[in-house]
C-alpha cells in the first residue's frame, strides 16, 4: 500500500503552467541522444534527461552537451534497478551512487516502481513520474497510432516520457519529429522540469 504521505511526494504533472515537459529516460546514448538534441534545437524546445549513472560515466561529453544546450538532467539511478524487488538499502545506494555523477535534485524511479519506504529515504529528491507514457520502447506498437495517442493525451502541465535508448530508436525516430511539429503548430512550449 502506498500511503497518502508518500504518494504526495510523487509528481505526475506540473501544476499551474501552460507548458508541457518532454523527458527522455535511460541515456545518454552515443548516437540517439545527440539526434534528440538536434531535434529539440531545431524546434527550440527544452527537455529533461533522466540519465543513468553508468551511461553518464561512459559518455560525460554528452551530459555536458545536454546542459550546455539549456536542458536539464535528472537522476534515473546508477543501473536501473526495479524498486519493487530491490531491498530498500540497495535501491537507495544505487540512487546515491548515481548522485555522485549526476548533479540533480530530480529523481525518476526506473519503471516508475518505488516503495513508500524507498520514497521516505530519498527525501532530498523531487520524485518525477509522468502522465503521458509514449511506450516508444515497445517495438510491437504502431508508430503512427502512438503519435496520435500522445497528442490526444497532451495537456497543460503534462510530463511526457520518451527514451533515448536502443530499444526505443525506431519509434522515437518516427514519433519525436512529428510530435515536435505538433507542439509548434499548436504553439505549445516544452520547458525543463522546475
Ligand atoms: Zn528507465
Amino acid at each position: 500500500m502506498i500511503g497518502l504521505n508518500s504518494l504526495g511526494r510523487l509528481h505526475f504533472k506540473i501544476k499551474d503552467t501552460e507548458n508541457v515537459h518532454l523527458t527522455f529516460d535511460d541515456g545518454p546514448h552515443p548516437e540517439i541522444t545527440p539526434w534528440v538534441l538536434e531535434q529539440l534545437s531545431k524546434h527550440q524546445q527544452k527537455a529533461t534527461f533522466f540519465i543513468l549513472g553508468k551511461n553518464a560515466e561512459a559518455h560525460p561529453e554528452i551530459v555536458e552537451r545536454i546542459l550546455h544546450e539549456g536542458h536539464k538532467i535528472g537522476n534515473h539511478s546508477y543501473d536501473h534497478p526495479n524498486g519493487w524487488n530491490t531491498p530498500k538499502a540497495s535501491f537507495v545506494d544505487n540512487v546515491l551512487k548515481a548522485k555522485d555523477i549526476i548533479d540533480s535534485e530530480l529523481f525518476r524511479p526506473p519503471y516508475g516502481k518505488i516503495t513508500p519506504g524507498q520514497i521516505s529515504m530519498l527525501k532530498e529528491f523531487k520524485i518525477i513520474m509522468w502522465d503521458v507514457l509514449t511506450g516508444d520502447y515497445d517495438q510491437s506498437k504502431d508508430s503512427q497510432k502512438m503519435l496520435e495517442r500522445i497528442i490526444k493525451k497532451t495537456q497543460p502541465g503534462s510530463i511526457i516520457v520518451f527514451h533515448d535508448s536502443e530499444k526505443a530508436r525506431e519509434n522515437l525516430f518516427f514519433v519525436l519529429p512529428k510530435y515536435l511539429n505538433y507542439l509548434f503548430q499548436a504553439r505549445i512550449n516544452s520547458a525543463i522540469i522546475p
Side-chain angles (χ1 to χ4, degrees):
M1 269 294 276
I2 295 192
L4 273 182
N5 284 342
S6 48
L7 253 190
R9 295 207 49 238
L10 306 182
H11 300 263
F12 295 89
K13 282 178 84 173
I14 305 298
K15 283 181 191 141
D16 304 322
T17 178
E18 291 298 309
N19 293 331
V20 299
H21 306 83
L22 290 173
T23 66
F24 295 87
D25 287 9
D26 298 354
H29 180 287
E31 291 155 34
I32 300 172
T33 311
W35 178 85
V36 168
L37 289 169
E38 273 154 43
Q39 303 306 309
L40 293 171
S41 153
K42 224 184 271 179
H43 289 85
Q44 296 181 295
Q45 298 284 23
K46 299 298 180 206
T48 304
F49 291 78
F50 286 92
I51 63 182
L52 294 173
K54 64 168 188 178
N55 289 346
E57 269 176 354
H59 309 289
E61 72 291 347
I62 304 179
V63 179
E64 281 304 312
R65 184 175 161 193
I66 290 171
L67 295 170
H68 183 74
E69 296 186 8
H71 306 290
K72 189 163 176 174
I73 54 170
N75 186 329
H76 193 43
S77 81
Y78 184 77
D79 59 3
H80 220 268
N82 180 334
W84 289 359
N85 51 36
T86 307
K88 189 162 70 175
S90 37
F91 185 81
V92 170
D93 282 351
N94 200 293
V95 177
L96 296 181
K97 186 178 174 188
K99 195 193 168 200
D100 289 340
I101 306 155
I102 303 159
D103 183 18
S104 177
E105 79 288 6
L106 304 180
F107 172 62
R108 171 173 284 159
Y111 314 102
K113 291 181 175 172
I114 188 164
T115 67
Q118 291 160 355
I119 292 172
S120 70
M121 286 180 76
L122 293 169
K123 287 209 169 74
E124 65 206 274
F125 292 99
K126 188 170 173 186
I127 301 177
I128 306 298
M129 307 297 273
W130 57 80
D131 66 320
V132 183
L133 186 65
T134 62
D136 55 357
Y137 48 80
D138 184 347
Q139 291 158 345
S140 71
K141 286 213 173 113
D142 180 87
S143 302
Q144 178 62 35
K145 281 194 186 127
M146 189 177 291
L147 172 69
E148 288 161 15
R149 196 186 131 269
I150 302 164
I151 290 174
K152 215 183 206 170
K153 292 197 82 178
T154 299
Q155 294 175 357
S158 276
I159 301 173
I160 300 121
V161 184
F162 286 99
H163 292 79
D164 43 342
S165 72
E166 202 56 60
K167 253 199 283 184
R169 185 195 286 254
E170 211 180 310
N171 283 323
L172 180 72
F173 280 34
F174 178 88
V175 171
L176 184 62
K178 294 178 179 63
Y179 184 69
L180 287 167
N181 226 21
Y182 158 74
L183 293 181
F184 175 75
Q185 302 289 345
R187 298 177 190 228
I188 297 170
N189 191 42
S190 172
I192 57 173
I193 289 176

